[in-house]
Amino acid sequence: MSAENFDYIIVGAGSAGCVLANRLTEDPAVRVLLLEAGPGDRSIFIHMPSAFAYPLANDKYNWYYHSEPEPFMNNRAMYCPRGRVLGGSSSINGMVYIRGHALDYESWASHEGLENWSYADCLPYFRKAETRAKGGDAYRGDSGPLNVSTGACINPLYNAFIEAGQQAGYAYTADMNGYRQEGFGPMDMTVHKGRRWSTAMAYLRPALKRSNLQVRTRALVARVAFQPGSSPARAVGVEVANGHRIDMIHASREVILCGGAINSPQLLMLSGVGNPDHLRALGIRVVAPLRGVGANLQDHLETYVQYACKEPITLYSAMNPLAKAQIGLEWLVKGTGLGATNHFESGGFIRSEAGVKHPDLQYHFLPMAIQYDGSAPASFHGFQAHVGPMRPTSRGAVTLKSANPKEAPRILFNYMATEQDRKEMRAGIRLTREIFAQKAFDRFRGEAVSPKDHLQTDAEIDAHIREHGESALHPSCTCRMGMDEMAVTDGSGRVHGVTGLRVIDASVMPDVISGNLNAPTIMLAEKMADAIRGKAPLPRSDAPFFVHPDYQTAQR
């Protein structure tokens, strides 16, 4: 048993954990230990943006989770990769930088106890975190650790997608992270000088120069330790599995869980914080009966709308071994070329029907027809749009299979459980077909590859989604903030019913935001870091945001 002691122990060196390690150690009087179950992030396949399919599709840097058979998805076990490496999922994700819509945060702030999570409260922290290559303004940052660049859209297919969106009647937006999310335009990415800019690069590496931060990799935390006899229970450290030995490490101030929407509720339950009936059935002593732990699981489901391309200009040309070698060499020597982009350089946000106040469908465009995780190689020149609903109404859960911390938890998303989710997905496919039918794609558009043109009815489209829908890899909301009986944390990430314990990651979101989750997770970690340090919050923003003036009667 170890006698080590730190002020703060952070469990998980991912998108939130690296932010907290940096911000908390800005105070030289504070000693911080950052624990990561996975290895370091030295792989070329992590740092080359175009190579992200490699860490995404294997278990070396990835928990490699799969769901239980999904009852509304033909009982498929759905792939759920989560980062297990320095930088966490920010080291294996697609590097898309999207903040979500302002009204997402207005919705968060409507909950009791979350009044300071409005868009006006959150926008200053998005700006604090960011340095945008194009420069800052009222919406964008220019001096933060997280470098963000915008796609160059050199391939003509990127601009064809943007132009087709306008021809279909939607607006152009120059910055979907600025005043106006709704519309079609270029997309931002967490890439800097041709390299992935994970939170390990942005936040952790600068902090490693400080003597008050220790980082340990391949350190699996088995459970949070609580002070015997304390009421309410007080977290005083963590137990770390070290081969056949368990090491106890003490935290004099707080233990902070940053494991994400799967691992944070898992660790809470292993530690006795969760649904008491579930814990007792597994022989786990109940420390705090919180029925919401692991509940409210939300994710974005998406599907690919794929077409063959009549001109040989897609990324299929880059898939042969010689081309890959040339791309890799240019990236290694110059940091430029096709290796220096995530290839999601244009996209869009639209509303599925009149009456929807802000976009509920998102697009990522890719000038190639391929599986997102690289699990199936491209076999022809093609292009695709990823489309999916932004605010699903289906709810799942994370539960334990056993009290063994080395056994993966049980994950069930319940994708497509509600008619509303099915309705939005049908609209997504039909509206995407309309966009690809525009004049801008006439010179490029070949036959429909997936879904085939003959799939037209609701039943046929539903069957296609059940067979081909995939996770957009945005699990969230399993330790949600709030003050009601199913809330797990308060507005500062403190776990209800105990002291000395916080959760800070995408699991605390009350509802999933309308977009990718990396940027919002970094924002909330920045905001909660100030709360932990007792610092006054940043001044609220008065920047306005766009809502379609005719949203009640017009779909576009």
Side-chain angles (χ1 to χ4, degrees), residues 4-9 30-31 234-237 249-255 500:
E4 288 185 292
N5 187 76
F6 295 83
D7 293 298
Y8 296 98
I9 298 175
V30 168
R31 296 185 67 233
R234 174 170 180 77
V236 293
I249 308 176
H250 295 274
S252 60
R253 296 193 186 185
E254 291 185 358
V255 174

Side-chain angles (χ1 to χ4, degrees), residues 421-437:
D421 290 355
R422 294 189 289 269
K423 176 184 175 183
E424 290 175 359
M425 188 62 88
R426 292 175 206 136
I429 286 181
R430 288 170 173 145
L431 292 169
T432 308
R433 284 169 162 171
E434 180 188 7
I435 291 163
F436 279 141

Side-chain angles (χ1 to χ4, degrees), residues 146-211:
L146 187 71
N147 283 286
V148 177
S149 57
T150 307
C153 295
I154 295 173
N155 189 305
L157 289 167
Y158 290 122
N159 286 313
F161 187 67
I162 297 171
E163 187 178 350
Q166 294 173 264
Q167 290 171 350
Y170 302 100
Y172 173 80
T173 177
D175 182 6
M176 54 188 70
N177 290 305
Y179 167 67
R180 178 175 184 141
Q181 185 196 64
E182 187 167 346
F184 287 76
M187 293 183 72
D188 291 331
M189 63 184 83
T190 49
V191 172
H192 179 55
K193 295 182 178 179
R195 294 172 63 89
R196 174 194 291 273
W197 208 248
S198 65
T199 54
M201 293 292 291
Y203 287 90
L204 185 56
R205 274 173 173 68
L208 288 174
K209 301 173 184 176
R210 301 170 186 157
S211 61

Side-chain angles (χ1 to χ4, degrees), residues 138-322:
Y139 301 91
R140 308 304 297 265
D142 60 8
S143 57
L146 187 71
N147 283 286
V148 177
S149 57
T150 307
C153 295
I154 295 173
N155 189 305
L157 289 167
Y158 290 122
N159 286 313
F161 187 67
I162 297 171
E163 187 178 350
Q166 294 173 264
Q167 290 171 350
Y170 302 100
Y172 173 80
T173 177
D175 182 6
M176 54 188 70
N177 290 305
Y179 167 67
R180 178 175 184 141
Q181 185 196 64
E182 187 167 346
F184 287 76
M187 293 183 72
D188 291 331
M189 63 184 83
T190 49
V191 172
H192 179 55
K193 295 182 178 179
R195 294 172 63 89
R196 174 194 291 273
W197 208 248
S198 65
T199 54
M201 293 292 291
Y203 287 90
L204 185 56
R205 274 173 173 68
L208 288 174
K209 301 173 184 176
R210 301 170 186 157
S211 61
N212 58 337
L213 173 64
Q214 284 194 38
V215 179
R216 296 178 190 170
T217 56
R218 304 185 188 277
L220 177 67
V221 175
R223 58 187 53 84
V224 177
F226 291 92
Q227 182 177 324
S230 59
S231 182
R234 174 170 180 77
V236 293
V238 298
E239 297 177 7
V240 180
N242 189 351
H244 296 294
R245 189 178 79 237
I246 294 291
D247 291 335
M248 175 69 188
I249 308 176
H250 295 274
S252 60
R253 296 193 186 185
E254 291 185 358
V255 174
I256 307 171
L257 307 188
C258 300
I262 308 301
N263 295 76
S264 285
Q266 178 194 23
L267 187 52
L268 284 178
M269 289 183 281
L270 289 169
S271 308
V273 179
N275 185 321
D277 298 332
H278 178 52
L279 299 184
R280 291 189 187 109
L282 294 172
I284 298 173
R285 184 178 69 87
V286 178
V287 173
L290 290 179
R291 294 186 179 275
V293 174
N296 194 45
L297 175 61
Q298 299 175 38
D299 189 19
H300 292 139
L301 190 76
E302 66 180 12
T303 192
Y304 311 146
V305 179
Q306 299 176 325
Y307 284 81
C309 186
K310 294 190 292 186
E311 296 187 14
I313 59 171
T314 76
L315 296 176
Y316 177 60
S317 299
M319 299 305 291
N320 67 76
L322 178 59

